[in-house]
Amino acid sequence: MTRVTVLGSCGAWPEPGRACSGFLVTCNGFRLILDLGYGTASRLDGDVDAVIVTHEHPDHCVDVSALGRLRQYTEGAPKLPLYCPPGVLRVLEALEPRPHPATVFDPHDLAEPATVGPFRLESRLLPHHVPNYGVRLSAPGVTIAYTGDGGPSPELAELARDADLFIAEATLQDAPPDTEPRYLMTAGEAADWAARAGARRLLLTHFWPGSDREVPVRQARARFGGEVLAATEGLVLTL
């Protein structure tokens, strides 16, 4: 059985009582983190086995530093596998240069396919202000896709192909801008890509602080026939 727990659902900065991007994926006892933005580390209950960070923006990676401190002061803790773009390591080093992140974490380039516990990890580069990799996790009987952040891209159709759960950012609530390139999506666009990919369930996330979350859910349901949910802290989905 695979469970996804929402640790945080805000983009940019956390609303009071919420946290920024973060998800805990549990499969056959293996505990994997997808992003760890502001306020997410305090919502973790128990140890983790690996961390994936999509990109270097602090609302997706800053609490990896908090997790590193925990590992640093846990006697006998082995290095924690960390799959991320190189910019994430530079951010972590700036936050805490001593000890260097490489002494606490075992870094791997997220651009490269890998086996992470029970999962096959694949990634696709999505348009964003900095290098951002959408993540696809596959285990026997279950596939999870996660955009991190990113604008509309044909890569999304392959990232979420036949996924049981597609976790997609839906930052923009007004009409999408007509400028190019695009670095963020609307809920309607996320729904269009979910439908094109044949995903079964869509979990919207990365909401702008203070926004009405019912609006993007309605927009997505009008364009996607599968289940649509809004990420909220503490939500647990069983796949």
Side-chain angles (χ1 to χ4, degrees):
M1 186 187 329
T2 301
R3 287 192 177 92
V4 176
T5 301
V6 179
L7 303 174
S9 62
C10 293
W13 69 90
E15 295 178 18
R18 294 190 183 272
C20 282
S21 297
F23 302 87
L24 171 65
V25 181
T26 305
C27 181
N28 299 330
F30 190 86
R31 290 164 58 86
L32 170 67
I33 294 294
L34 287 175
D35 281 348
L36 211 57
Y38 297 117
T40 50
S42 63
R43 296 173 182 270
L44 281 172
D45 181 14
D47 202 3
V48 299
D49 298 297
V51 178
I52 297 171
V53 177
T54 57
H55 65 289
E56 67 194 73
H57 282 159
D59 57 330
H60 291 256
C61 78
V62 76
D63 266 18
V64 177
S65 181
L67 183 59
R69 284 198 160 203
L70 171 63
R71 302 288 290 200
Q72 175 190 349
Y73 291 110
T74 301
E75 185 175 356
K79 287 186 178 182
L80 186 62
L82 171 62
Y83 300 82
C84 63
V88 172
L89 293 174
R90 293 193 291 269
V91 170
L92 295 177
E93 183 178 9
L95 287 168
E96 185 68 277
R98 297 181 183 85
H100 191 275
T103 68
V104 180
F105 297 101
D106 179 18
H108 302 267
D109 188 350
L110 184 54
E112 300 297 325
T115 298
V116 184
F119 293 106
R120 177 63 176 171
L121 167 63
E122 299 172 280
S123 65
R124 290 184 178 268
L125 188 64
L126 300 178
H128 196 48
H129 302 279
V130 297
N132 170 83
Y133 287 89
V135 171
R136 182 179 174 92
L137 297 170
S138 302
V142 65
T143 297
I144 299 167
Y146 172 49
T147 63
D149 290 348
S153 167
E155 296 289 346
L156 292 167
E158 294 307 314
L159 179 74
R161 179 70 61 198
D162 298 324
D164 298 281
L165 179 66
F166 182 30
I167 307 171
E169 71 93 3
T171 312
L172 306 177
Q173 288 200 8
D174 297 325
D178 57 7
T179 56
E180 295 290 342
R182 290 278 310 287
Y183 295 135
L184 295 167
M185 285 193 295
T186 67
E189 289 171 326
D192 287 343
W193 287 109
R196 188 175 304 187
R200 294 172 179 83
R201 181 187 285 181
L202 175 61
L203 180 64
L204 301 174
T205 190
H206 203 263
F207 299 108
W208 192 254
S211 61
D212 181 354
R213 298 183 178 204
E214 288 302 313
V215 172
V217 170
R218 288 196 301 270
Q219 293 171 342
R221 285 175 178 166
R223 296 160 71 167
F224 174 63
E227 184 179 13
V228 177
L229 297 169
T232 189
E233 285 71 10
L235 175 67
V236 179
L237 300 178
T238 301
L239 306 177

